[in-house]
Amino acid sequence: MATPKLSSLLSLWRRSSSSSIWGRSLNRYSTAAAAAAVEAPIVPNVDIKYTQLLINGQFVDAASGKTFPTYDPRTGDVIANVAEGDLEDINRAVAAARKAFDEGPWPKMTAYERARIILKFADLVEKHSAELAALETWDNGKPLQQASSAELPMFVRLFHYYAGWADKIHGLTVPADGPHHVQILHEPIGVAGQIIPWNFPLLMFAWKVGPALACGNTIVLKTAEQTPLTALYVAKLFHEAGLPPGVLNIVSGFGPTAGAALAGHMDVDKIAFTGSTETGQAVLERAAKSNLKPVTLELGGKSPFIICEDADIDKAVELAHFALFFNQGQCCCAGSRTFVHESVYDEFVEKATARAKKRTVGDPFKSSIEQGPQIDSEQFEKVLRYIKSGIETNAKLECGGERIGSKGFFIQPTVFSDVKDDMLIAQDEIFGPVQSVLKFRDLDDVIRRANATRYGLAAGVFTKNIDTANTLTRALRAGTVWVNCFDVFDAAIPFGGYKMSGMGREKGVYSLNNYLQVKAVVTPLKNPAWL
């Protein structure tokens, strides 16, 4: 595989948008658009190899013997039946992780050896990347081009990055009053419980597992019930790379059973969760009521994307389109409140509507498709309810607003103008292909309104004026602010939110702190006369 360009997912978008495979765009929603969604779906060339739980290095059935279906969002048909873990399975997985941490070789292994195993794993993933990308698209519905050209290379890059950190985690020697030698040790925290979402299953696996293993921890990871397949596959590859049994355990199951059991388990030393704010609150409460284990949360967002009066409108339209519609709008950091200066508002709305109408929707295995289906019927219906709410509260529906076809979970790219701050579509995280365009007067106006949300995950600024950019980046209360770009991710760039968008940071050096304990070791010096 060629060395990936990972500085921005937008670079993939731009390359694809200008190529011939994207040229067959639809001018309007029509029978052609509907046909793209309802014609016989492409059958991916991938086998479903792993559907059991992975506990102590072995694939096993759930203790109850139960399974649950994972669905193809293109059709609603069952892809496979997966073992359904619950409390007893979490107990088994935690016991394996506990033993592997307390007695096993992983925490005691040299950091160099841990790094070698992580690097070997990354090489195996790269070798199997085509199959993994197809499996991710099948289970999730995201375009295969996105999974194969952006997400799999980024997954590999993340594990290379964390392998590089494994032997560079060290403490300090500090001076202290009196004749004492003082060491500050950074030690692995222990058993990490991790709960990942369905929108980026592989990348969220990497964000969680990479730093935890680099620091020497063991893991029990619960997959999202909508997308369990790729985590099981790559966990198998990790064991092929030499990961000792019990270090990484995978339990597929549901939040109220497996997720709740993991968050409240007394033998789990740390919880990391990515998902909705409401579920994050429940995870935090359960962790606190058990053993006060530390928790990191990457939660919801309602990110403002601010387009100033000096913007190149054509570029702003394309970037705002990407910021919202990427991954079917199923991004926690999506630019879902598009603030446009009043002097260019009408022009922007006209061009943004035209761009949305050209967006190709259909089978994500086709190279010409920009947008696949929503993840499942629940999310599909939720998005349609928000669209209905926008119409009922007098936002102007510029385009879209309906499902495509009669099978699967496809929704037309939707644009609303005349959106007001108090509308639900401007307040709630829709997590779908719905662009809300709001008008603003000046910087003071947009700063106040952009910050008037319970979220603070990300923001975007589009301007040619460096003073405007500096003013906005300092004033916006968000964990990431992109200037004249959006969704630029790299292994070294930290990601996380202010306010109810979470606590702690993923990726970069800051993510290591989530999986380390700090210990002070103080030793008296018997012969201090020489000091």
Side-chain angles (χ1 to χ4, degrees), residues 173-182 523-531:
T173 300
V174 299
D177 292 340
H180 295 92
H181 176 67
V182 182
T523 306
L525 297 172
K526 292 185 178 180
N527 298 302
W530 58 272
L531 294 176

Side-chain angles (χ1 to χ4, degrees), residues 226-249:
Q226 297 89 342
T227 53
L229 298 178
T230 49
L232 292 167
Y233 192 122
V234 295
K236 174 63 174 176
L237 295 181
F238 235 135
H239 286 84
E240 288 183 22
L243 194 71
V247 174
L248 175 60
N249 305 273

Side-chain angles (χ1 to χ4, degrees), residues 23 31 56 81 96 140 157 171 207 222 260 307 343 349 366 383 418 421 460 482 489:
T31 55
N56 202 30
N81 288 294
N140 172 273
R157 170 71 176 92
W207 286 21
K222 191 199 90 66
I307 298 168
S343 66
V349 169
K366 289 187 173 182
V383 174
D418 296 340
D421 295 328
W482 287 293
F489 293 101

Side-chain angles (χ1 to χ4, degrees), residues 355-392:
R355 176 64 181 93
K357 287 180 178 180
K358 292 179 181 179
R359 185 170 181 80
T360 53
V361 183
D363 191 326
F365 283 98
K366 289 187 173 182
S367 60
S368 59
I369 293 301
E370 296 174 273
Q371 180 178 312
Q374 308 310 120
I375 184 68
D376 60 13
S377 60
E378 181 180 352
Q379 187 64 24
F380 173 80
E381 295 295 342
K382 173 188 171 185
V383 174
L384 291 178
R385 285 196 300 272
Y386 275 111
I387 291 172
K388 182 180 179 182
S389 170
I391 295 170
E392 291 176 345

Side-chain angles (χ1 to χ4, degrees), residues 419-478:
V419 178
K420 303 298 185 290
D421 295 328
D422 60 352
M423 295 177 178
L424 285 181
I425 59 172
Q427 292 184 345
D428 290 358
E429 185 178 39
I430 299 173
F431 230 59
V434 182
Q435 185 176 35
S436 298
V437 189
L438 302 90
K439 185 184 296 183
F440 76 91
R441 238 182 6 262
D442 54 38
L443 291 188
D444 289 340
D445 174 41
V446 78
I447 289 168
R448 174 183 58 79
R449 293 165 61 197
N451 285 334
T453 173
R454 61 188 179 274
Y455 298 116
L457 188 56
V461 173
F462 200 94
T463 180
K464 297 175 183 176
N465 189 315
I466 188 62
D467 293 329
T468 298
N470 284 335
T471 297
L472 289 171
T473 54
R474 301 309 192 272
L476 294 170
R477 292 187 53 75

